[in-house]
Amino acid sequence: MRTLAATLLVLLAACGGQAPPRAEARPPNIVLIMTDDQGWAQLGVHGDDVLKTPNLDRLASESVELTRFYVSPVCAPTRASLMTGRYNYRTGVVDTWLGRAMMHPDEVTLAEMLSAAGYHTGIFGKWHLGDNYPMRPIDQGFDEALVHRGGGIGQPSDPPGSSYFDPILQHNGVQEQHEGYCTDVFFDAALRFIEQTRDRPYFLYLATNAPHAPYQVPDEYRKRYAALGLDDKDARIYGMITNIDDNVGRLVAALERLGDAEDTVLIFMTDNGPTTRRYAAGLRAQKSSVYEGGIRVPFFLRWPARLEPRKMDVMAAHIDVTPTLLDAAGAAKPARVQLDGRSLMPLVDGRTNDWPERTLYIQSHRGDEPQRNRAFAAVSQRWKLTQPLSFSEPPPANAPLELYDLAADPAEEHNLASAHPELIQKMKQGYDEWFEDVSPSRGYAPPKIHIGTAHENPVWLTRQDWRVVGEDGWGDGSLGYWEVDVRTPGRYDIHFHFDAQETPGRAELALGDAKRRIAFRQGDQEVVFEDVELAAGPGTLEARLRRGDKIEGVWFVEVQK
């Protein structure tokens, strides 16, 4: 034993006082936290003198903080890039609703790549890349999934009766109601996932739907900020963020208690800019804008075993997260996967200071497919070229380009376009080449929702993923249809679910050669088309309510083989 001890002492001395590395060291655990609609400024550490975020402030002090980190100005595009390391337009995700937020299932996700490397994978909170097979998180690499539908609790994709309190969630594809406040529920489930995963490394993706609207929060949190004079909306948003902060504290404490903290890669970030301007840290605009306030967000990367805390102003983006985490895990991407991002690990762990200059491209607006020159930004380490107009409406003819020197003017107050025509031409050419490159040969038609598989039966179709007829919308009076693929021919029962009808009328179903009509009565909320014969193959499912000349869509369609 004395000989063994002496040998260990010699080895420790040779390694500078640290234990020698194992020949096959276990890869680090990975925890990725992303909040919803919390901007760069909504943190105490970033100067908000009202908002209390002690746990996130501490996390920032223990992390490599990238102070120039960019995402898309709305959520689903950010999530697609985050999960794939690719610009969202390559994945089919172009917007947040109306069938435009479904990611093509042939995209290989971070969860799939880490799972192939031996990781246990879990998601808790918001997915927003497809609610139906084959696009759900459990179809895209996650072993454990507790998520809400669509883009948020309380939206039309959510089951009736759900709210931020006692939410109705999808647990591994099965609908369940949970007790408690939604953020607490997601963190509770995440903590159980960590505690139950001791035999192998884990990847935990914890994506809260807070502080997104409708701003529901336990009253104790709201009252803290109402007492300080904040209006009701801001008091609720700040309360939601403080609740997130409390839960982050619980998570970090659990990692420390379990002995995981030292060798866990922990990232905290947000998905886009905020919906409040109470404090903006000098950044222009907010969510949905390609000005800095809409696309620059916090990014903290903590890995105590490898990284020294510090701030870095090197520009990075959502497309870099997947290659960075693959690098940290020692995991390889499939040969066929082409990443747009680059690993940040050589930079943040000090292996190199040579970080090649590049330009990042951000574009996001409403519509079924992207339009050149509409609501875009080309961002380099110093310069930013942007046409910031027209997120919601088509751009005016010859919308002017704006140019900002972000090193001297991070608030984007001084448009230098007239002073640098050659730089504008060069950056615009880069944007045009990028736009052509990311526009996929398969086009921007949405992926098909599969019907008649063992993976999901019944299939619930919601307004989140319908394609609209007429003006964009998913509210009362809106009309749409679903792009589906009947994978197994046969007989199906198809239910229409809708609000209680004030007058009688007729429900109409159409899918391929299957066309049915059923009368409904005043007060009805459901009709059932029984034994509908469906042929295999892709098609368009229409579900309409007709009362005289008035036609509108239903809220939900339930298709059961």
Side-chain angles (χ1 to χ4, degrees):
M1 291 297 291
R2 290 180 180 176
T3 302
L4 176 59
T7 302
L8 287 172
L9 287 172
V10 170
L11 288 171
L12 285 170
C15 294
Q18 297 180 353
R22 291 175 292 172
E24 294 183 3
R26 171 170 161 159
N29 301 311
I30 297 171
V31 176
L32 173 57
I33 303 173
M34 185 166 71
T35 64
D36 196 352
D37 289 2
Q38 179 182 0
W40 162 269
Q42 280 69 57
L43 289 167
V45 73
H46 286 171
D48 194 315
D49 58 358
V50 173
L51 181 59
K52 304 302 180 186
T53 55
N55 295 297
L56 289 169
D57 296 350
R58 174 194 165 195
L59 179 63
S61 72
E62 297 171 346
S63 300
V64 175
E65 178 180 359
L66 301 183
T67 60
R68 291 278 310 283
F69 193 86
Y70 290 96
V71 294
S72 297
V74 288
C75 48
T78 290
R79 293 163 201 277
S81 293
L82 188 74
M83 283 291 102
T84 64
R86 290 157 54 79
Y87 281 113
N88 59 284
Y89 285 161
R90 298 193 196 278
T91 74
V93 174
V94 300
D95 196 2
T96 63
W97 66 333
L98 306 181
R100 306 162 184 162
M102 295 188 290
M103 187 166 71
H104 281 282
D106 61 353
E107 290 293 325
V108 183
T109 68
L110 175 61
E112 289 175 298
M113 290 183 269
L114 289 176
S115 181
Y119 277 75
H120 189 43
T121 58
I123 177 175
F124 304 91
K126 181 170 178 174
W127 171 242
H128 200 187
L129 296 173
D131 290 335
N132 298 104
Y133 179 79
M135 293 164 283
R136 303 167 299 174
I138 55 174
D139 309 317
Q140 292 288 90
F142 285 99
D143 302 314
E144 180 74 12
L146 181 67
V147 297
H148 61 73
R149 285 185 175 273
I153 295 174
Q155 294 183 2
S157 54
D158 213 28
S162 187
S163 81
Y164 281 45
F165 298 93
D166 301 337
I168 300 172
L169 305 172
Q170 312 301 312
H171 182 213
N172 295 337
V174 178
Q175 187 164 291
E176 301 175 346
Q177 185 153 19
H178 290 251
E179 293 185 4
Y181 182 61
C182 58
T183 304
D184 300 335
V185 168
F186 294 135
F187 272 85
D188 287 344
L191 290 173
R192 288 193 296 272
F193 172 82
I194 289 173
E195 291 172 349
Q196 293 168 3
T197 308
R198 313 307 304 154
D199 59 332
R200 54 179 168 147
Y202 53 79
F203 167 47
L204 166 60
Y205 178 31
L206 217 169
T208 70
N209 57 300
H212 192 288
Y215 311 128
Q216 297 173 358
V217 65
D219 213 37
E220 63 183 279
Y221 286 97
R222 180 194 64 81
K223 286 181 177 178
R224 297 184 197 181
Y225 294 104
L228 298 175
L230 274 65
D231 64 30
D232 187 64
K233 175 186 171 182
D234 284 344
R236 291 176 178 278
I237 291 173
Y238 277 40
M240 295 168 88
I241 294 172
T242 294
N243 172 264
I244 291 168
D245 186 81
D246 287 347
N247 277 293
V248 170
R250 286 204 299 141
L251 177 66
V252 172
L255 294 175
E256 292 170 347
R257 173 175 53 82
L258 295 169
D260 288 354
E262 186 72 10
D263 208 21
T264 292
V265 178
L266 172 58
I267 289 176
F268 174 83
M269 60 179 291
T270 73
D271 67 343
N272 47 245
T275 58
T276 174
R277 295 287 293 169
R278 198 212 73 83
Y279 174 71
L283 300 183
R284 185 173 179 177
Q286 59 187 50
K287 176 182 178 178
S288 80
S289 173
V290 289
Y291 283 126
E292 293 291 281
I295 60 176
R296 184 176 159 195
V297 299
F299 187 88
F300 309 145
L301 180 94
R302 190 185 82 158
W303 188 2
R306 286 273 301 270
L307 304 180
E308 290 293 329
R310 63 196 185 281
K311 291 185 178 182
M312 305 185 73
D313 68 352
V314 175
M315 182 185 60
H318 46 21
I319 56 174
D320 299 324
V321 172
T322 282
T324 297
L325 292 178
L326 291 177
D327 191 355
K333 71 173 183 64
R336 69 179 180 86
V337 173
Q338 299 299 314
L339 301 178
D340 291 309
R342 62 171 66 148
S343 173
L344 301 169
M345 286 308 303
L347 183 71
V348 298
D349 69 9
R351 276 179 281 163
T352 182
N353 289 319
D354 182 16
W355 192 247
E357 175 72 15
R358 62 175 170 167
T359 300
L360 297 169
Y361 299 96
I362 304 292
Q363 181 170 357
S364 187
H365 55 74
R366 297 302 190 205
D368 289 342
E369 61 183 72
Q371 294 176 275
R372 190 189 301 269
N373 302 330
R374 180 177 174 184
F376 83 89
V379 188
S380 72
Q381 187 66 32
R382 177 180 176 183
W383 296 99
K384 178 175 181 178
L385 177 72
T386 181
Q387 193 293 96
L389 305 177
S390 310
F391 174 78
S392 297
E393 301 294 336
N398 301 317
L401 297 176
E402 299 175 10
L403 181 70
Y404 297 97
D405 182 349
L406 294 178
D409 180 25
E412 298 171 292
E413 295 177 326
H414 307 290
N415 180 8
L416 303 178
S418 61
H420 298 279
E422 293 182 357
L423 179 58
I424 286 182
Q425 182 179 7
K426 178 181 178 181
M427 295 187 75
K428 180 60 166 57
Q429 180 181 346
Y431 162 75
D432 286 334
E433 292 172 353
W434 170 83
F435 189 86
E436 292 294 332
D437 182 48
V438 298
S439 297
S441 59
R442 62 187 174 193
Y444 289 102
K448 307 289 186 183
I449 296 170
H450 289 189
I451 289 173
T453 75
H455 303 284
E456 186 182 20
N457 188 40
V459 173
W460 282 78
L461 305 176
T462 79
R463 296 186 177 202
Q464 168 70 33
D465 294 327
W466 75 0
R467 306 293 276 192
V468 293
V469 176
E471 294 184 4
D472 280 3
W474 59 15
D476 293 337
S478 297
L479 184 62
Y481 59 90
W482 290 268
E483 297 283 357
V484 300
D485 188 352
V486 180
R487 306 296 287 184
T488 308
R491 295 187 178 276
Y492 291 76
D493 291 339
I494 301 177
H495 301 242
F496 289 3
H497 300 272
F498 42 83
D499 290 338
Q501 296 298 293
E502 296 180 357
T503 59
R506 186 175 71 223
E508 300 175 346
L509 165 70
L511 174 55
D513 293 332
K515 294 178 173 58
R516 295 277 194 93
R517 297 178 176 180
I518 294 180
F520 60 79
R521 299 164 298 181
Q522 182 180 4
D524 280 353
Q525 295 179 276
E526 179 184 7
V527 298
V528 182
F529 298 88
E530 296 181 334
D531 292 329
V532 180
E533 186 73 30
L534 298 181
T540 297
L541 191 154
E542 300 177 15
R544 301 180 173 186
L545 302 179
R546 184 185 297 272
R547 294 184 300 275
D549 293 334
K550 183 179 181 181
I551 304 174
E552 63 183 26
V554 303
W555 284 105
F556 302 96
V557 177
E558 178 188 358
V559 184
Q560 184 163 21
K561 190 173 190 312

